[in-house]
Amino acid sequence: MKLDAKKTAVIFKAFCDENRIRILQLLQSGEKCACMLLEEMNITQPTLSHHMKILCDSGIVTWRKEGKWTHYSISPEGVKYAEQCFIALTNVTEEK
C-alpha cells in the first residue's frame, strides 16, 4: 500500500487528543447527536465542532443532518483505511 503522507497525518491527528478519543469512545455504542455529545463531554459547542471537523476530515467519523441536528457515527470504511495505514507504517521488512 502506497501511503499519502498528508492524508495519513490527518488520520493520525484525529487520534492525538483526549477529547477526540473520548468522542470515539462515546460513538462506539452507535450514532450520537451532537447535543448528546455536548452533554457527555461537558465542552462548548465551538470546541465540539472543532473536534468533529478533525474526526470527520480524517474519515474516521461520518455525519448526517436531521433537521437542525447533526448525528455522528464511526465510519467502518474510515476505520479500515486507518488500520491499513497503521499496518503499512509499522510493517518491518528486511532490506536485501
Side-chain angles (χ1 to χ4, degrees):
M1 173 181 189
K2 178 130 171 73
L3 294 179
D4 177 312
K6 257 189 181 180
K7 187 174 180 181
T8 303
V10 169
I11 290 167
F12 287 101
K13 177 182 180 180
F15 296 112
C16 293
D17 182 88
E18 291 176 42
N19 286 316
R20 291 191 288 274
I21 296 299
R22 179 72 182 121
I23 291 166
L24 289 170
Q25 289 173 324
L26 291 169
L27 294 177
Q28 283 179 309
S29 60
E31 181 180 80
K32 301 282 183 296
C33 177
C35 60
M36 183 271 170
L37 294 172
L38 279 171
E39 288 175 16
E40 291 289 324
M41 296 291 297
N42 196 27
I43 58 177
T44 65
Q45 189 279 324
T47 300
L48 178 65
S49 292
H50 167 75
H51 290 303
M52 297 316 297
K53 178 174 180 3
I54 292 169
L55 288 166
C56 291
D57 286 352
S58 74
I60 301 297
V61 171
T62 60
W63 61 275
R64 68 177 182 84
K65 288 290 258 185
E66 186 175 300
K68 66 177 184 173
W69 299 110
T70 303
H71 298 265
Y72 297 98
S73 59
I74 293 176
S75 165
E77 297 83 12
V79 169
K80 184 175 181 177
Y81 185 75
E83 287 173 340
Q84 291 170 344
C85 289
F86 182 77
I87 290 168
L89 284 172
T90 57
N91 185 24
V92 179
T93 57
E94 292 188 28
E95 292 185 36
K96 294 182 180 180

